[in-house]
Amino acid sequence: MAPTRPSKKKGKGKQLAKAKAASSTVSPSDPVALRALLTASTALLEQGDALAARKIARDALSANESAPSPLTSPLGAALSLLGSIAVETGDIDDARKYFLRAVDTDPEGELPDEIGGGAEKFLWLAQLSEEGGNDSVKWFERGAGALRKAIGKAEEEGKTDVAEEKKRKLAETLCAVAEVYMTDLSWEEDAENRCEALISEAGLVAPDHADTWQTVANVRISQERVDEAKAALERSMAVWRNVESEDVRVPAFPTRVGLARLLIEVGMEGRAVEVVERLVTEDDQSVESWYLGGFGLYNAGLKLKEKKKEAEWKSAWRSARGWLAQCLLLFQKLEYEDERLGEHANELLALVRQEIGDDEGDEEDEGWEDDEDGEDDSDEDEDDDEDEEMQ
């Protein structure tokens, strides 16, 4: 079994005590102290203590609202932070209200990030939109506009790192709009042209950003241009596959789960298993990652079976059996809500067991670390097939 992630809550008590003490004495005329409160609240949120973070952020908001100088007071930052906390606690209506109030403090996203300016509030409202579709696009476009201004300003001031960070965020935003046009607005006449324009701009803004190429692949799949989708997925993975998980180039966990799904969809099972192997080392409680690993190995085994490679397909299916069994174990333990995923995992596991039996007494399935040995041969064979298809 992969190791569990280390706890992030070390030292939380001391930090909370300091923040509480500060919140009781902070002056509305002291923007530095107000920002310190928000920093403490943000740290608590990142450590998983949303309720404690909310208490500190509310104290900061109260002090901010009576600040004499709104241009130096981080009122927007307090509102945006409370919006993020509300998302974490599941209070989505409250989150929208906080982000809308944050927009009122900075309608164009031109104020500095440290006092709640910038694009984040617009991007949150796009994701939280009840209407979706054009309403989401409207908020995304406001966020994109703020990011373009921020990029221009950072480049003028010679702040290369800031400019690159904003470019990555702009590319992600453009890709998010493209996703809306592929789903909620797919019925619009110019949806495909809009998608092309968006992914083209994203590619120009951040050509080395993995998310951009993943979205390109998604668009190409929708257009049934599978070879181009495969090439885009390879380019997306090339950005981060050989760097540490903490590297900024590595996409977010949910993005990589989506990547694994796309890889399986276009028949790149070897690459998909490579992705999910890494995911379960980061979070061994991810039901979907274990499911996708089993699904990918099942499909790889089917291809090997068609080629009459008996030892290889049985090895792939033994590994698939272990992944799927772990998926279903966690599915029950965590009371996972995606019933269709559970049904499909059960169906695949039954098919595998029908062919190769249960894993009792099978030394190759005693631990998931051992399964990796079984996966390598089938994955390498599959990767060879993919390379031939790419050429």
Side-chain angles (χ1 to χ4, degrees), residues 67-133:
S69 177
L71 293 179
T72 59
S73 168
L75 174 59
L79 291 165
S80 291
L81 177 56
L82 281 164
S84 298
I85 293 170
V87 170
E88 185 69 20
T89 58
D91 301 314
I92 304 304
D93 288 340
D94 287 345
R96 289 193 199 94
K97 291 174 184 176
Y98 281 125
F99 287 125
L100 285 169
R101 288 180 63 190
V103 169
D104 289 340
T105 70
D106 180 35
E108 303 301 322
E110 294 177 332
L111 291 178
D113 289 354
E114 60 267 22
I115 62 170
E120 287 300 314
K121 51 189 171 290
F122 304 123
L123 304 182
W124 269 117
L125 285 166
Q127 295 176 71
L128 298 177
S129 171
E130 290 183 286
E131 299 174 28

Side-chain angles (χ1 to χ4, degrees), residues 17-76:
K18 288 181 180 179
K20 284 182 176 178
S23 66
S24 63
T25 58
V26 68
S27 168
S29 60
D30 186 353
V32 175
L34 291 173
R35 289 186 196 123
L37 272 187
L38 295 175
T39 299
S41 177
T42 300
L44 289 168
L45 179 61
E46 290 173 350
Q47 292 167 357
D49 196 340
L51 297 181
R54 184 172 63 188
K55 170 66 171 64
I56 304 302
R58 283 176 174 172
D59 290 342
L61 177 62
S62 296
N64 268 288
E65 288 176 327
S66 55
S69 177
L71 293 179
T72 59
S73 168
L75 174 59

